[in-house]
């Protein structure tokens, strides 16, 4: 065999071509937009006409208001600490103690992830939104106190925190569940009290999970749009995300340069946190806990504290599920939001639902949401699976680079992601004069890029477990690489893949941050329609849509639970 | 411990277990997995609650289900070596070992020296700043032992600490443990399913099965005088046959009348189960009560040979110092003095009736 045939065989081999394709995909979808974003932040003028190099955009970002930096940090830090405390407590109660109804608390806390933040935010706006908030009206009626305005920094942190708890709960809970009970027993036997054991052993072993969820919360806080827009905008408590929204969607003409400069600043902030995080987990192998025969699961006996912890758990359930749901249901039946006295309640009707069902934009947005969520969901899971497959099967520096590139969006605030895509595709013209800007495609790309890191992580586990001999057996039987992938690998991974599609679908149906920056008339999605009703003061309409989403989420949740319990692969 | 019972749901894990441990004594709970021995240990430690019964330590009642009393583990002056070792992964070896000292109110300046002593005792000095993931299983196990002895607890509990080690290391550690116990005068409650470990280390053995104590005694007593078929089986008896009691001290088995020690109430002519250790046979000349058979399989074990011998369709396991012959050879065997024990139980009956 000559050298050139050998080279041709290598280049045309399946692993080589697969990696070329994935590299190209990651470059176009992830890396290139960031290059454009960073470049654009140093240029005058918007993307249509390329301007000269300048630092003016950065000056504008910082000049705007110094409060904005303080606010952004306050919000991001607040909504990191509060959910961390609540989430750790809940995770501990559910995984390590004998608090009654553990299954209920676990299910309902994880279920919170399903509830769109816009729907929950609407509920809190109905309850605590200024003087007219229903709960505030009640508080004023029976106490000398003035109530609590959710349209404030404290309100933003409060609402955002409640709905970040599931994330902390998921990450920390998984880690705590893996703490062998013997670690705690050994500590107690050696004289440490339950509290000292919790602090030094349970939390000590879970430190990487605590740090990871704190970093995730912080980056989400830097980049999420929902809560700052719902509650910060009216209160003039601006953060960088609302500033980007302002620059791109309120100002005319849009201030693209300033938006991208702000995006780069946010990105830099996230990177600083990430570097600190990576430094602190350098020795994560220290936390690898013993696997092996577990002793009989002996939960921490709480004694008389049992009912205190039970009260805390049910309180959380009440404030995140029961009360907000009641608020959107009541709000959706009323003509306006105000003091819930007999006069107002007497006017309740299904009028809001009737009007909404005649609204063509709502139906169009629902269709758009479904198309986008399913399409982007399938696409991103296939893309993520192929990357995971590459990383596991063709171990090389090249595969790792693809993995890093594809995982990049995890560390990037969502708003920066959307801004960079906007910046890239607003001028891009494909052959035939077709542009991506203003189509569902650009939103689908944004969703997919945003979810790509999750899809890679989700598929890596199942692929690692997939014995390479299953593939070897297929190759020996005469099937080629591609045939093996199609006939052996994909069918075996189907349950994991479909599970991922469901998770992506749920995440995309509730997506707001990127959508609100990228949508145009005709490409509205549910969340942007909700926000336009909200900003026009049509709170009862938003409440009615929220009820629909809430109920749909609960049904989806129960179906998933049933499927998982019945161990039916879906 | 008195009248200890433990139920997991409707399943009784322990029924009426009672025993005491004297200061400085090495007591072993020996039994198959699932017999409840680990449960006893966890009850003594205070990490498991008995369904019924009481535990007293040094005159103080630490568990009493009648009085609804259960003191938490940290107030009981004891330590434990877990089967999983439970060496905390996020602390260095030194920090792991120092942990009990902190909570046993040992002054800070004395701690370092005590940690050093403990690590030296298990031959792990020089590993103080390592993390557990940098240690082998055997080293982690030594750290676990160092941690359990550093504060000189009143009682040391060991839950199959050697079961995850390879055979060579297991024997070394067995000697180390016994040496530590003697040197430090420790009181130990040891759980194992390995009869060799139990016999080698214990002052006293409690043979357990199905959540109850079958027999209690010194290693020699238990080994030489099993009081039930289950205890005999557990202590290495491999040959059991159904037979009948032919007279006082004589049984009829395999068509021959053999001398045997009779345990339990059996009527003459009634059914008994005869148990003979593999090493209870000696080569004999044919005739009389000698057992004739044919060698099926021979295994060389190092110090001895194990033979599978077919006697009229029944298989005997016979261990001798010299090789009896090759496959297919005919052999005749006699019984060593007091090698056979007859139990008044059916061969496959439940232990203890």
């Amino acid at each position: 065999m000559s050298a050139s045939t050998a080279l041709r065989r290598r280049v045309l081999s399946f692993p080589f071509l697969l990696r070329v394709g994935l590299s190209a995909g990651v470059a176009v979808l992830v890396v290139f937009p960031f290059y454009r974003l960073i470049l654009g932040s140093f240029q005058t003028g918007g993307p249509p006409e390329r301007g000269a190099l300048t630092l003016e955009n950065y000056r504008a970002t910082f000049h705007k208001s110094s409060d904005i930096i303080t606010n952004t940090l306050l919000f991001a830090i607040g909504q990191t600490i509060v959910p961390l405390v609540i989430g750790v407590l809940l995770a501990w109660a559910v995984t390590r103690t004998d608090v009654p109804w553990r299954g209920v608390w676990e299910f309902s806390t994880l279920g919170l992830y399903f509830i769109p933040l816009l729907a929950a935010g609407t509920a809190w706006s109905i309850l605590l939104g200024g003087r007219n908030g229903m709960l505030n009206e009640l508080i004023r009626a029976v106490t000398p106190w003035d109530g609590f305005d959710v349209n404030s920094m404290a309100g933003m942190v409060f609402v955002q925190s409640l709905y970040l708890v599931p994330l902390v709960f998921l990450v920390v809970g998984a880690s705590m569940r893996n703490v062998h009970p013997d670690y705690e027993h050994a500590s107690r036997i050696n004289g440490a009290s339950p509290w000292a054991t919790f602090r030094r052993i349970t939390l000590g072993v879970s430190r990487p999970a605590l740090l990871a969820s704190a970093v995730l919360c912080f980056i989400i806080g830097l980049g999420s749009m929902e809560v700052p827009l719902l509650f910060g905008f009216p209160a003039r408590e601006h953060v960088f995300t609302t500033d980007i929204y302002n620059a791109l969607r309120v100002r005319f003409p849009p201030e693209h340069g300033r938006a991208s400069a702000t995006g780069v600043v946010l990105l830099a902030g996230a990177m600083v946190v990430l570097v600190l995080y990576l430094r602190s987990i350098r020795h994560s192998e220290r936390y690898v806990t013993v696997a092996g025969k577990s002793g009989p699961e002996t939960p921490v006996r709480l004694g008389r504290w049992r009912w205190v912890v039970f009260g805390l758990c049910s309180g959380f359930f009440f404030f995140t599920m029961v009360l907000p749901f009641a608020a959107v249901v009541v709000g959706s039946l009323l003509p306006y939001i105000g003091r819930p006295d007999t006069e107002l309640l007497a006017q309740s009707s299904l009028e809001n639902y009737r009007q909404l069902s005649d609204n063509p934009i709502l139906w169009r947005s629902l269709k758009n949401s479904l198309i986008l969520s399913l399409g982007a969901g399938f696409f991103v899971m296939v893309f993520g699976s192929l990357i995971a497959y590459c990383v596991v099967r063709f171990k090389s520096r090249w595969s790792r680079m693809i993995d890093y590139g594809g995982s990049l969006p995890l560390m990037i605030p969502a708003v920066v992601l959307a801004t960079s895509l906007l910046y890239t595709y607003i001028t891009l013209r494909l052959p035939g004069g077709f542009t991506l800007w203003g189509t569902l495609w650009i939103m689908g790309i944004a969703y997919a890029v945003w979810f790509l890191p999750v899809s890679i992580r989700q598929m890596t586990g199942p692929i690692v477990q997939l014995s390479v001999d299953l593939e070897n057996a297929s190759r020996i039987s005469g099937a080629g690489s591609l045939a093996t992938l199609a006939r052996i690998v994909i069918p075996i991974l189907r349950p994991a893949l479909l599970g991922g599609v469901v998770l992506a679908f749920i995440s995309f149906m509730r997506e707001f941050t990127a959508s609100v920056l990228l949508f145009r008339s005709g490409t509205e999605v549910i969340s942007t329609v909700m926000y336009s009703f909200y900003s026009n003061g049509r709170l009862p309409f938003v409440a009615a849509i929220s009820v629909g989403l809430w109920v749909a989420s609960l049904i989806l949740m129960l179906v998933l639970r049933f499927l998982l319990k019945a161990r039916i692969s879906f | 411990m008195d009248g200890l019972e433990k139920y997991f749901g409707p399943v009784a894990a322990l029924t009426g277990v009672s025993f005491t441990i004297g200061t400085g004594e090495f007591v072993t709970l020996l039994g198959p997995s699932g017999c409840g021995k680990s449960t006893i240990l966890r009850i003594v430690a205070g990490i498991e609650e008995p369904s019924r019964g009481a535990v007293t330590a040094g005159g103080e009642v630490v568990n009493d289900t009648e009085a609804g009393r259960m003191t938490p583990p940290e107030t009981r002056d004891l330590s434990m070596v877990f089967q999983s070792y439970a060496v905390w992964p996020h602390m260095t070896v030194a920090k792991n070992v120092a942990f009990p000292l902190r909570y046993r109110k040992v002054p800070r300046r004395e701690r370092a020296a005590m940690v050093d002593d403990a690590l030296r005792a298990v031959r792990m000095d020089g590993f103080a700043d390592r993390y557990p993931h940098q240690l082998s299983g055997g080293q982690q196990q030594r750290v676990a032992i160092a941690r359990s002895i550093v504060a000189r607890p009143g009682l040391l509990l060991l839950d199959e600490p050697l079961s995850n080690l390879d055979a060579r290391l297991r024997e070394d550690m067995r000697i180390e443990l016994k040496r530590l116990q003697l040197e430090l005068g420790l009181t130990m409650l040891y759980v194992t399913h390995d009869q060799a470990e139990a016999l080698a280390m214990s002052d006293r053995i409690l043979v357990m099965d199905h959540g109850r104590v079958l027999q209690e005694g010194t290693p020699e007593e238990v080994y030489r005088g099993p009081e039930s078929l289950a205890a005999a089986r557990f202590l290495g008896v491999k040959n059991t046959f159904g037979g009948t009691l032919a007279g006082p001290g004589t049984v009829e088995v395999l068509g021959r009348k053999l001398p045997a020690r009779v345990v339990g109430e059996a009527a003459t002519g009634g059914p008994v189960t005869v148990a003979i250790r593999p090493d209870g046979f000696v080569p004999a000349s044919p005739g009389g009560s000698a057992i004739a058979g044919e060698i099926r399989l021979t295994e060389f074990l190092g110090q001895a040979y194990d033979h599978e011998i077919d006697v009229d369709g029944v298989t005997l396991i016979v261990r001798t110092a010299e090789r009896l012959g090759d496959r297919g050879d005919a052999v005749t065997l006699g019984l060593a003095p007091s090698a056979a024990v007859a139990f008044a139980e059916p061969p496959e009956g439940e232990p203890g009736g």
Side-chain angles (χ1 to χ4, degrees), chain A residues 14-15 389 468-491:
Chain A
F14 170 72
Y389 185 76
V468 71
D469 284 343
L470 293 172
E471 288 166 60
N472 291 339
S474 158
R475 300 293 294 276
I476 289 164
S477 312
S481 298
L482 219 60
T484 301
L485 199 63
R487 308 278 300 268
I488 307 294
V489 179
I490 292 174

Side-chain angles (χ1 to χ4, degrees), chain A residues 118 225 229 245 248-250 254 361 364-365 368-369 372 418-419 421-422 426 436-444 446-447 511-533 535-536:
Chain A
L118 270 185
M225 192 78 94
L229 216 47
Y245 178 79
L248 291 178
R249 312 264 18 197
V250 180
I361 295 178
R364 190 167 67 199
S365 73
N368 285 341
S369 278
L372 269 175
T419 313
L421 287 171
L422 181 142
I426 200 164
L436 287 172
W437 173 238
T439 65
L440 285 179
W441 288 99
I442 189 170
M443 296 169 76
Y447 289 4
E511 211 290 327
F512 176 69
T513 306
S515 315
V516 81
L517 291 180
L518 297 175
F519 87 98
R520 236 168 47 169
S521 174
T523 64
E524 305 90 348
V525 291
I526 290 274
S527 60
T528 62
V529 169
M530 285 171 81
Y531 181 66
S532 69
F533 280 134
S535 53
N536 290 331

Side-chain angles (χ1 to χ4, degrees), chain A residues 180 182-183 185-194 196 200-201 204-205 285-289 293 296 298 301, chain B residues 42 45 47-48 70 72-74 78-80 82-84 86-91 99-100 102-104 131 133 147:
Chain A
H180 199 297
D182 280 353
Y183 286 143
H185 293 150
S187 162
R188 294 290 300 278
I189 286 167
N190 284 313
S193 66
R200 298 199 54 202
I201 307 299
V205 175
E285 68 275 9
R286 278 179 200 162
Y287 298 90
V288 174
T289 55
K293 192 183 138 194
T298 313
R301 263 175 288 267
Chain B
R42 300 171 84 87
I47 53 185
E48 193 102 51
M70 163 147 174
E74 62 267 25
L78 46 81
S79 65
M80 180 160 172
F82 291 83
Q83 191 175 7
S84 62
V87 177
W88 300 300
H90 61 304
M91 297 181 186
F99 190 93
R102 176 191 171 118
Y103 291 100
R104 300 294 180 209
Y131 278 87
H133 71 93
R147 186 178 68 189

